[in-house]
Amino acid sequence: MFDAIRLKLSSLCGICEDNTRKAGKINDLVKDINQLCTDIASDETRSLVDRLEQDIEELTEQFRKEVRQKDKYKTIAYNVAKASPDMIWMKDLEGKYVYANDKIIDGLLKTGSVENTIGRNDVDIALAAKKKFGDENHTFGEICGNSDLVVIKTCQPRKFLEYGKVDGKDLYLEVFKEPAYDGQGTMIGTVGSGRDVTEYYLGLRKAIDNMKADNNCRKSCSSLLMCELDKYKFEG
């Protein structure tokens, strides 16, 4: 009977090995069983063992449900990020990528895969891109500064325009970033999304230039376009 309980506890530890509080509960149960092993078998002892076995069964099922729920949320989050037309990512407090969807990997980072992205920061990735495409062909983010630090410092969501060349082509991104927190409310990094607004942004600039080159009667139109362009000013 004791061996069977120990086996269940071992299995239970495997389910919740990353949860210190729950692992502590199991350790308490192990101590109780070890104490029982030193006692003389009696009806009272058998009854207590039965209750312990039932408690273990209930804890095991509870932990399994929590694991299934977490896996469900992970699957949902992964599929949403994968289906999104925008670039989506998460970084830790040191600026290293924890997650990146295909859009940012293919459209900006040029790292080839999630595995070749996680654990690296923008500087490391940018240096590799410069080596691959040439310094003049990969300048993205050099003018914008580190917007991650702005979000971490203010603990507030922010909007940025980040731009530069990627593989020799101009890229303008409308970027939204905000702090990321764990279940205890501690900041653990930043999450962000980036939308490619290159065509729209450059189109606005061209329209404004055309207006300025025209006569004064179109100044009002030019002002309206400038107001639209101001939406994309970098919040540094």
Side-chain angles (χ1 to χ4, degrees):
M1 180 181 295
F2 292 125
D3 289 339
I5 292 176
R6 287 197 185 97
L7 184 60
K8 290 180 180 180
L9 283 172
S10 176
S11 174
L12 188 57
C13 285
I15 295 174
C16 60
E17 59 184 358
D18 62 335
N19 191 310
T20 305
R21 182 177 58 83
K22 291 173 182 175
K25 278 188 177 182
I26 296 173
N27 287 332
D28 291 340
L29 288 173
V30 171
K31 290 178 182 178
D32 290 342
I33 290 175
N34 287 334
Q35 182 60 45
L36 287 172
C37 290
T38 62
D39 294 339
I40 300 174
S42 66
D43 291 340
E44 183 179 355
T45 300
R46 292 191 186 95
S47 176
L48 182 54
V49 170
D50 289 340
R51 290 198 299 272
L52 279 171
E53 189 171 16
Q54 183 178 352
D55 289 344
I56 292 170
E57 290 283 1
E58 292 175 356
L59 278 172
T60 302
E61 183 57 29
Q62 177 187 339
F63 296 156
R64 283 174 177 163
K65 285 181 179 178
E66 291 180 5
V67 169
R68 287 195 295 268
Q69 191 77 345
K70 288 179 180 179
D71 288 342
K72 178 181 177 181
Y73 288 141
K74 286 180 181 178
T75 301
I76 292 172
Y78 171 79
N79 283 286
V80 168
K82 185 177 181 180
S84 172
D86 297 332
M87 301 177 183
I88 296 176
W89 64 89
M90 179 175 178
K91 301 176 187 176
D92 63 20
L93 291 173
E94 295 180 348
K96 295 179 181 179
Y97 283 91
V98 177
Y99 172 78
N101 72 349
D102 292 340
K103 303 300 186 301
I104 189 173
I105 289 174
D106 298 335
L108 173 60
L109 304 179
K110 302 296 184 181
T111 48
S113 67
V114 175
E115 292 76 17
N116 195 37
T117 305
I118 293 175
R120 300 173 67 185
N121 60 30
D122 285 322
V123 173
D124 175 38
I125 292 173
L127 288 175
K130 284 177 177 292
K131 185 176 181 180
K132 181 178 181 180
F133 303 115
D135 287 351
E136 70 283 359
N137 291 322
H138 193 91
T139 62
F140 191 89
E142 290 181 357
I143 302 174
C144 306
N146 193 333
S147 55
D148 292 336
L149 293 180
V150 176
V151 174
I152 292 172
K153 183 178 179 179
T154 62
C155 300
Q156 295 293 326
R158 300 293 291 269
K159 173 184 173 182
F160 308 90
L161 175 69
E162 300 190 2
Y163 54 92
K165 287 189 179 295
V166 176
D167 192 10
K169 300 175 182 178
D170 288 326
L171 178 64
Y172 287 78
L173 291 181
E174 182 182 34
V175 175
F176 296 88
K177 294 184 178 181
E178 62 179 82
Y181 299 93
D182 63 15
Q184 285 70 49
T186 302
M187 187 187 297
I188 56 174
T190 59
V191 291
S193 65
R195 177 163 297 181
D196 187 344
V197 295
T198 306
E199 184 176 349
Y200 181 64
Y201 184 85
L202 294 180
L204 280 176
R205 292 184 64 91
K206 183 177 180 180
I208 291 171
D209 290 341
N210 289 340
M211 289 292 182
K212 288 180 177 179
D214 211 325
N215 55 51
N216 291 333
C217 69
R218 297 190 176 181
K219 282 185 177 181
S220 59
C221 293
S222 181
S223 296
L224 288 173
L225 289 172
M226 285 299 294
C227 289
E228 184 68 16
L229 194 62
D230 280 346
K231 294 179 181 180
Y232 296 99
K233 283 186 176 179
F234 173 68
E235 297 183 15

